[in-house]
Amino acid sequence: MKIVTDILLAFRANVKCFSLKLMHMKTLYYHPYIRMDRNVNIRLRGGVITFGKGVLVSARSVISASDGGRLTVGKMVGINSNSMLMCHNSISIGSNTIMGPGVYIYDHDHVFDSEHGVRRNEYITAPVVIGKNCWIGANTVILRGTTIGDNCLIAAGSVIKGNIESGSIVVQKRETITKMY
C-alpha cells in the first residue's frame, strides 16, 4: 500500500511541478522523484525554488519565493502538513532535514516604525540556513537571519532567531503561572 501511495504522491508532484515549470521556466527546478500531498500551494512571484531528490511536501503547506528570493530544499527533506516557507531573500534547507507539522520559516519582516506603523510590501530581509540532518519540531517558527547547523534538534513550539551551532538541541521552556482570584 505504501508503494501505491508513494507513486500517487510522486505523480501528483510531477504534474504540479511540470505545469508550474511551463509558466516559470527559469524559476522552478525539481528532481522527478519528489512527492506532494493535495492542497500544496507553490507560489513563484519573482523568486526561484529548487527541490532536491526525494523531497516530501505534505498537505496544506505553502511554499513561496518572491522578489528575487531563492528557496533551496535539499535531498530527502520532509516538510510536514500546514507548514509555510516564505522567501524574499534566501532560505536553504539541508538534505535529510525533517519538519513536524506547522513549521513556519520566514527570511523577512515587514518594515515597522512607531510613527508610520507597518509598511505594506516593504521588508527587512536576511538569509535563513538550516543544515543537514536536522529535526525541526511541530509549530516551530524560524525567523530571518537564522543559521541552524547540521545535526540539530529544535523542540516543538520553539521560536528561533540567530545562530544555532551544529549538534545542538534547542528546547525553549515556558513557565505556566496560574493565579486564583
Side-chain angles (χ1 to χ4, degrees):
M1 188 65 177
K2 181 171 176 7
I3 291 175
V4 173
T5 302
D6 279 349
I7 290 170
L8 178 63
L9 294 175
F11 178 76
R12 180 180 293 129
N14 276 276
V15 169
K16 180 182 281 281
C17 287
F18 180 75
S19 62
L20 281 168
K21 183 82 172 164
L22 290 175
M23 296 183 294
H24 305 279
M25 289 299 276
K26 295 184 179 181
T27 59
L28 177 66
Y29 302 94
Y30 67 98
H31 189 280
Y33 181 61
I34 179 175
R35 297 163 293 157
M36 282 186 200
D37 260 331
R38 298 180 288 258
N39 306 320
V40 171
N41 188 347
I42 298 175
R43 301 176 188 165
L44 284 159
R45 297 178 179 152
V48 176
I49 297 175
T50 303
F51 292 111
K53 179 181 179 181
V55 170
L56 171 62
V57 184
S58 293
R60 297 172 307 282
S61 291
V62 177
I63 299 172
S64 175
S66 304
D67 306 326
R70 299 187 70 79
L71 194 153
T72 304
V73 180
K75 297 176 185 175
M76 302 304 290
V77 169
I79 301 169
N80 215 319
S81 58
N82 300 309
S83 293
M84 292 182 71
L85 284 62
M86 308 301 283
C87 180
H88 286 262
N89 182 313
S90 173
I91 296 174
S92 174
I93 301 169
S95 296
N96 300 308
T97 289
I98 59 172
M99 300 175 202
V103 170
Y104 290 6
I105 303 172
Y106 299 100
D107 68 354
H108 63 282
D109 290 324
H110 285 278
V111 172
F112 177 85
D113 63 55
S114 59
E115 185 177 329
H116 300 100
V118 68
R119 296 186 189 162
R120 188 178 306 265
N121 298 322
E122 290 185 42
Y123 304 101
I124 301 168
T125 66
V128 172
V129 178
I130 299 172
K132 299 178 207 167
N133 306 310
C134 292
W135 177 13
I136 311 297
N139 300 311
T140 292
V141 179
I142 299 173
L143 301 172
R144 71 176 167 90
T146 296
T147 299
I148 299 172
D150 295 340
N151 308 313
C152 287
L153 184 150
I154 309 298
S158 296
V159 177
I160 304 296
K161 183 168 176 64
N163 294 320
I164 308 297
E165 291 189 29
S166 292
S168 295
I169 297 174
V170 177
V171 177
Q172 294 180 340
K173 293 189 177 188
R174 290 169 184 78
E175 190 174 328
T176 302
I177 301 171
T178 305
K179 293 184 179 182
M180 300 299 289
Y181 292 99

